[in-house]
Structures are given as C-alpha cells and as structure tokens.
Amino acid sequence: MEFDDIVVGAGSSGAVLAARLSEDARRKVLLVEAGPHYEDLQTMPKSLLNGRQMAWDHDWGYAAEMVPGRLAAYHRGKVTGGSSSVNACLALRGSPADYDEWAGLGNPDWTWRDVLPAFVRLEKDVDASGDHHGRSGPTPIRRCAEADLAPAQKLFLDACCYLGHPKVHDHNHPEATGVGPVPSNLGPNAVRFSSAMAYLHPAQERANLTIRADCLACRVLFDGTRAIGIEIEAEGRVQQILGQRVTLCAGAIGSPAILMRSGLGHSEELRAIGIEPRIHLPGVGRNLIDHACIRVKWNSPVGMVDVAAAHLQVLLTHTAPGSSVRNDMQAFLFQWPIQPSLWLQTSLMKPLSRGTIRLRSNRATDCPDIRLNLATDAEDVRRLSEGLRMLGKLVQSPQMKVLGADVCSFDDGQSMPAERFLALLRDDDWTAAQVVRAVTHYVHPVGTARMGPTHDPGAVVDQHGRLHGAIGLRVADASIMPTIPRANTHLTCLMIAERVAEWMRAEVT
Ligand SMILES: Cc1cc2nc3c(=O)[nH]c(=O)nc-3n(C[C@H](O)[C@H](O)[C@H](O)COP(=O)(O)OP(=O)(O)OC[C@H]3O[C@@H](n4cnc5c(N)ncnc54)[C@H](O)[C@@H]3O)c2cc1C
C-alpha cells in the first residue's frame, strides 16, 4: 500500500503532525516509531504516567560530549510521545523575541505574531487567561497554587523574592520575568500529558491513520531527488514502504542521522563512512544547540524533600548582569527523590556555543557522535559564571539555610563544604574555570537541520520544512529551529508541527 504521508518519529512533533494530517479522511497517513505505543492509560507503564518525575525507561541510551573529553548520558524518549513521554512537563513558550529572531534569519513566516495562534490552539490552560491563551486545545496546562507548594519549593520562591526578583503568575505571558509557579502539561492527578496522549489517543482509531510502533526507520528512499518512501527494520526484517511525501520528526538527534544515512549531508564526511552522497547539505548535523546548565547539589536533611511532589514547581527567569538578552537565564530548585537530595540549577537559555552530530557508521542502531561544545563561547562562560554566583546567593539566603546545603557537589565530580564554595565564588578565574569543568546539558537539543533560505549555506530546510534540493521530503521537529528559544523545548516542538501540518494540508500533492 502506498501512503500519502509517511511521518517518521512519533514524538512531540510527529504525534501532532500525524494527528493533524489524518484529520483529512482522504489522506492515508503512516506514523512510524522506533519505540512502543501504549493505546490507553491502563496499559501505559506507571513511569510514563507519573508527570511529577522524569522517566528513565524508554530511552535511546545516548551519550554526548559536554566539553571535549567529558561524556554524559543524553536522554531521548523512545516511545510514542517521544521525549514528551519521559520529560519533566515544564510547558513554556519562550519570548516573542525568540520567534522574531527566526524570522529575521530569513524565515519570515515565523514571527511571534505568526506562531502565537498555534501556541493558543495547542493548549488548554486551566488557570491563566487573556488573548494569548487557549482554553480548548489538546494539551492541558496547569500551575501549582502557592499554598500547595512543597516546603522546599516555597523556600526557593521566598529566597528569590528576598533577592529582589518580582513574582510572576504566568510565565507564558509575553512580558513575564521573575519567579513563580511553572506551567506544566499535566492532566488530573499529575498525569504526564505527552503528545501521544494529547494527539494520538484521540486519533488512533481513524481508518486512514496507521501507527507502526517498534519500527526503526533506517533511511529515506529516492528516485533521483524525489523521496518515494522509507526503509525500515521491524520484526527482524528490512522492509520498504512507499509514500508520496516523507516527513522526518525523529528529533534533533534522530532526524539528522536519518538524513545522513540517506546521503543528505556533508558529502566528504558521508563518503568517509561509506555512504554515497545524494545532496551536499553541509548544515546537516551542525548548529547543535542545547541550553547550558550548572548544578549545585547536596544531600538534604531528612524530611526536606517531599518525595511525592513534582521535581520542581517554581521557576525563576532573569537576565544575567551585563547581558543584552532579556531573560537569558533560568533557575530552579530540583527535588531528587532517590537519595533524597536537592539541587539548584542555573541555565543559560540563549547560548552562543554550537555543537555537532556526526555518524560513526551507516548502521541505524549506532549512537551518533554527539558533541555539544557547551560553554566554548566566552560570553556563555561569563553569563554562566553570573548564574553560578546567583546560586551562591540562594544557598546563603536565610530562607534556604534550612535546606542543609552544607556540602555541595558539582557535575565534574567535585565536592566541597559550602563555606569553601562560597569563598571560591569571589575568585572570578575559579568561577569561570568551574563553569567549564561542570557545565552540563538541559536535554534540549535543537537546530541540527535548521531552516533558512536557499542562499544560506548552512540551511537544510526552507521555512516550511522542505529539504533544500529534494522533492517530497520534509523535516518538522526540534531540528529545524535555527536558534533555541529561551524556554524548555516541548511546546515549541508542538507549535512547529501544528504549523507545518497546516502548510502540508494546504499543499496540492
Ligand atoms: C528527560 C527529558 C526531560 C525534558 N524535560 C522537558 C520539559 O520539562 N519541558 C520541555 O518543554 N521540554 C523538555 N524536554 C525536551 C522536550 O521533551 C523535547 O525538546 C521534545 O520532546 C523534542 O521533540 P521532537 O519531536 O523534536 O523529538 P522527540 O520527542 O524526541 O521525538 C522523536 C521521536 O522519534 C523517534 N525516532 C527517532 N529516531 C527514529 C528512527 N530512526 N525510526 C523511528 N523512530 C525514530 C523517537 O523514538 C521519538 O519517539 C525534556 C527532554 C528529556 C529527554
């Protein structure tokens, strides 16, 4: 059977795209996903249902280099809903300037004005109002009332106010800055409302939608430069499936990997690993961006971590001193139920450092070589140093003293008494060096098949997701973001798919 549309990857973006395309009953849509599909809440594992804590099963098992020589686990969801099925459920849009920036980079259809209707359409915000919010979309969004915050989260909120940050009720208000409850995509009883739940469950009975789970897409099939289908591995067999249009939604690691295995990438690099190049697209796998973070962790005194509460309930957004980018920093207190422990995290939300993804071989089962190159830009180091100093102020605040941060540890494995950490923060050279030693990722890779006009040599797709130089092939997921928004990336991925689906439905095939 030939499909009208083949969508590869059922994550934040792919689930939306397949659901929206199959609303047109005349269109035969195939959604291919490497992980399993759970059709209802009864069969879904508890880890995926529990939106209070991240899930570590259903993972691709990737590792990425943070800085040269230091590897860390790089989680990606492998299940329908993709990373939205395992994530921390923070539901943020970022700033209007993030999208105006995309438009300014040669993608004029992506201004804030253009993207806002899709953000409104995708949500059902149960406790914020105004023209910029939706009341009837598939993704429920809610916030924890101040009276219901876990004790440690309330102390964090009070400490931020003590340090002079304004209170915010709605972090998704276009002007928001300061500290307040984090909007979360949670259903009743804190069920994680992934894109699988929000979009696929209501669509999965449609006669024109086929969901093939446990099915690994290896490469795109071509007739010349026209995409005609995909090659998959399923049930121990290699198979070919034909379709009029192929759209990759395999995420910022998976989509560039499929492109490269299909001969679409830097020609010389592909030849070196035995892949015959088809279209020279040097931007594939470049421009890898993630938010960069520094964490200060400690084992908390008994009773200070509410192990039943969400990992985090309160978020601070602020601007690094001396930065020209408003709201370029985020901070939160994270409750880790296992030891139990607490950590403070400062995150650089508009980093300038860029990384790469390359294939090690042409096998679809191999982990790509992922290098984030975090904090390689001097301005990133400076702003993260300011963020680390802010964490020092929080540790010393009278509100947070009771949380027992006596011995602090970092992601480079160092541990030291809090007194020593606070003293070292007065030394700018130590602080900058510590940022580079301990910087880590925020599980938000984007940008590896970025959109841009044809004359831009690093652009991989045009502003509607169509691959430069090919016919019938698109990318629509985190990969196409030219820059990273100052927000956790799930809602932006939903928004991207909502918009690309509109364009695809209007296209005559
Ligand atoms: C642990 C974790 C916590 C996070 N927390 C948050 C948060 O709190 N808030 C937030 O906004 N964002 C968060 N994120 C980031 C956010 O979830 C992602 O940015 C977003 O889900 C990415 O969407 P995507 O569609 O681009 O990719 P994904 O959602 O990762 O989807 C890609 C899909 O493609 C499938 N796939 C990949 N390769 C193939 C192949 N070859 N064949 C078939 N299928 C394939 C994958 O299995 C997956 O289902 C988190 C991510 C992780 C991993």
Side-chain angles (χ1 to χ4, degrees), residues 153-173:
Q153 297 290 324
K154 174 78 169 91
L155 290 168
F156 173 72
L157 180 122
D158 291 345
C160 291
C161 293
Y162 170 79
L163 294 179
H165 296 284
K167 263 194 184 176
V168 165
H169 168 62
D170 178 16
H171 272 297
N172 281 331
H173 188 283

Side-chain angles (χ1 to χ4, degrees), residues 9 11-13 33-34 60 75 77 79 82-83 87-90 217 250 478 488-490:
S12 296
S13 300
E33 166 57 44
W60 281 82
H75 300 285
V79 55
S83 300
N87 76 11
C89 296
L90 276 71
N488 308 46
T489 38
H490 169 57

